[in-house]
Amino acid sequence: MTRFGYTLMTEQSGPKELVRYAVSAEQVGFDFEVSSDHYFPWLSSQGHAPYAWSVLGAVAHATERVELFTYVTCPTLRYHPAIVAQKAATLQILADGRFTLGLGSGENLNEHVVGKRWPTVARRHEMLREAIQIIRELSTGELVDWKGEYFEVDSARLWDVPDTPVPIAAAVSGERSIETFAPLADHLIAVEPNKDIVDSWHEARRATGLPGDVRVIGQIPICWDPDRDAAVARAHDQFRWFAGGWAVNSDLPTTAGFEGATQFVKPDDVAESIPCGPDLDAIVEAISEYWKAGFTDIALVQIGDEGQELFLKEAAGPLLEKLRSASK
């Protein structure tokens, strides 16, 4: 059965609000919750960027049932993989085994803040590959020394190792990344309902003798609101960066860059790619593309902080009922 999740968007809400929304999302019936891990919002109008790991630690204690994911953390520039391994292990203990570590090759928007040169895509993938290997080694609780092409680990050990190992989900976008990460990760993360990517991931795992049918985790933005015009305006104000695509978005370094890159994106352009307004059936239709492509887990992004409480109170429950009925 398809699982449906709620996105804790650290770019559009403060830390206390995110914890409150997480509790409400669990109560209304979401199966899991994913958190972005940003240092910057994409656009200044979003206005937030709290530290995701502090938020997730609070959410782990405030919730009881929902699974938790990072969606996604880059363990190569802003964070050293040894530190990510420690954070993930600690969060898994706090969450009583409900946590999955979602990893990706990062965005310049967040990683440039530590003053390191932004690598090419191929090099970012190689760095992520090595980082995953280090995280796996440390997760055993054994003493680790590592001297690789990109990272060094000097006599490191995790002293608090969870009883339930932390699963790793890797974000991929094409054949090269699938070939690299399918043998290393437990689950797949993809941001577009592309069946070819899903099938290629399963095939790549089976070719190495690993289980082919694993979790495939996607995400889709929606902007529910009783007033469609208000929904379109809010989506345009805070989510027009989405129109650029990841090939562009991953390289832009600042909110000013995103402002400039999206200055000619019109509200109608956003409304064509993001379901906006009160029509739950239209939202279900947009989301259905993911389970038709083979996604097992689909996280919803309700755009805008000001719309969260009303969405969770009035729309989330009926929407989940429709989604579960349609996806059977």
Side-chain angles (χ1 to χ4, degrees):
M1 187 174 70
T2 308
R3 290 172 286 264
F4 297 98
Y6 175 81
T7 300
L8 301 168
M9 285 290 287
T10 60
E11 301 81 16
Q12 66 183 23
S13 300
K16 289 187 175 181
E17 289 74 22
L18 289 165
V19 177
R20 189 170 71 249
Y21 301 152
V23 172
S24 295
E26 179 179 66
Q27 292 172 345
V28 82
F30 282 98
D31 300 307
F32 65 97
E33 299 179 5
V34 305
S35 173
S36 53
D37 185 356
H38 273 219
Y39 202 93
F40 267 70
W42 287 283
L43 296 168
S44 298
S45 58
Q46 292 178 307
H48 294 276
Y51 185 52
W53 291 87
S54 297
V55 172
L56 282 168
V59 169
H61 259 238
T63 59
E64 298 178 353
R65 175 187 56 79
V66 287
E67 294 181 84
L68 303 175
F69 293 71
T70 48
Y71 200 95
V72 294
T73 287
C74 175
T76 58
L77 292 173
R78 186 166 38 118
Y79 306 136
H80 189 284
I83 305 305
V84 174
Q86 183 190 35
K87 293 190 291 190
T90 300
L91 185 54
Q92 184 70 307
I93 293 170
L94 291 172
D96 295 321
R98 292 182 284 136
F99 176 62
T100 295
L101 177 61
L103 298 175
S105 57
E107 298 171 70
N108 197 8
L109 178 69
N110 306 298
E111 308 308 318
H112 80 273
V113 298
V114 294
K116 295 183 179 179
R117 183 177 63 86
W118 183 236
T120 63
V121 172
R123 183 155 297 184
R124 296 201 302 269
H125 285 169
E126 286 301 306
M127 293 174 73
L128 179 57
R129 177 191 57 77
E130 188 173 318
I132 291 174
Q133 293 173 316
I134 291 169
I135 292 168
R136 292 287 198 197
E137 292 282 338
L138 285 166
S139 296
T140 65
E142 300 295 326
L143 192 69
V144 174
D145 283 285
W146 181 282
K147 187 174 179 63
E149 185 175 356
Y150 301 103
F151 302 107
E152 292 189 23
V153 179
D154 186 3
S155 300
R157 174 187 172 187
L158 297 185
W159 290 87
D160 291 278
V161 179
D163 293 334
T164 302
V166 178
I168 292 177
V172 304
S173 57
E175 290 298 328
R176 179 179 295 180
S177 56
I178 289 171
E179 291 174 5
T180 302
F181 300 116
L184 296 176
D186 301 298
H187 307 297
L188 164 64
I189 289 174
V191 296
E192 295 179 354
N194 188 325
K195 189 176 187 301
D196 290 339
I197 286 179
V198 176
D199 291 344
S200 293
W201 176 272
H202 293 327
E203 290 169 7
R205 287 181 61 82
R206 292 191 190 101
T208 59
L210 295 169
D213 296 324
V214 296
R215 296 175 75 167
V216 180
I217 306 128
Q219 186 183 62
I220 180 172
I222 66 171
C223 196
W224 178 87
D225 194 282
D227 183 334
R228 185 178 186 277
D229 290 340
V232 172
R234 186 166 71 241
H236 178 259
D237 178 55
Q238 297 197 21
F239 238 75
R240 65 183 182 275
W241 62 269
F242 197 71
W246 290 109
V248 174
N249 294 345
S250 63
D251 285 333
L252 294 175
T254 63
T255 53
F258 278 91
E259 296 282 356
T262 60
Q263 62 181 312
F264 299 115
V265 177
K266 299 177 181 178
D268 287 346
D269 298 328
V270 174
E272 287 180 4
S273 60
I274 297 174
C276 297
D279 189 345
L280 296 183
D281 290 330
I283 295 174
V284 170
E285 179 63 27
I287 296 170
S288 71
E289 296 300 318
Y290 283 81
W291 70 69
K292 291 175 183 176
F295 284 72
T296 62
D297 299 73
I298 307 165
L300 280 56
V301 180
Q302 165 65 6
I303 296 173
D305 180 73
E306 66 273 24
Q308 294 302 316
E309 290 186 349
L310 188 62
F311 168 75
L312 290 165
K313 180 180 178 181
E314 295 189 5
L319 177 58
L320 284 170
E321 289 183 11
K322 285 179 175 289
L323 286 169
R324 288 178 178 135
S325 177
S327 62
K328 287 182 180 179

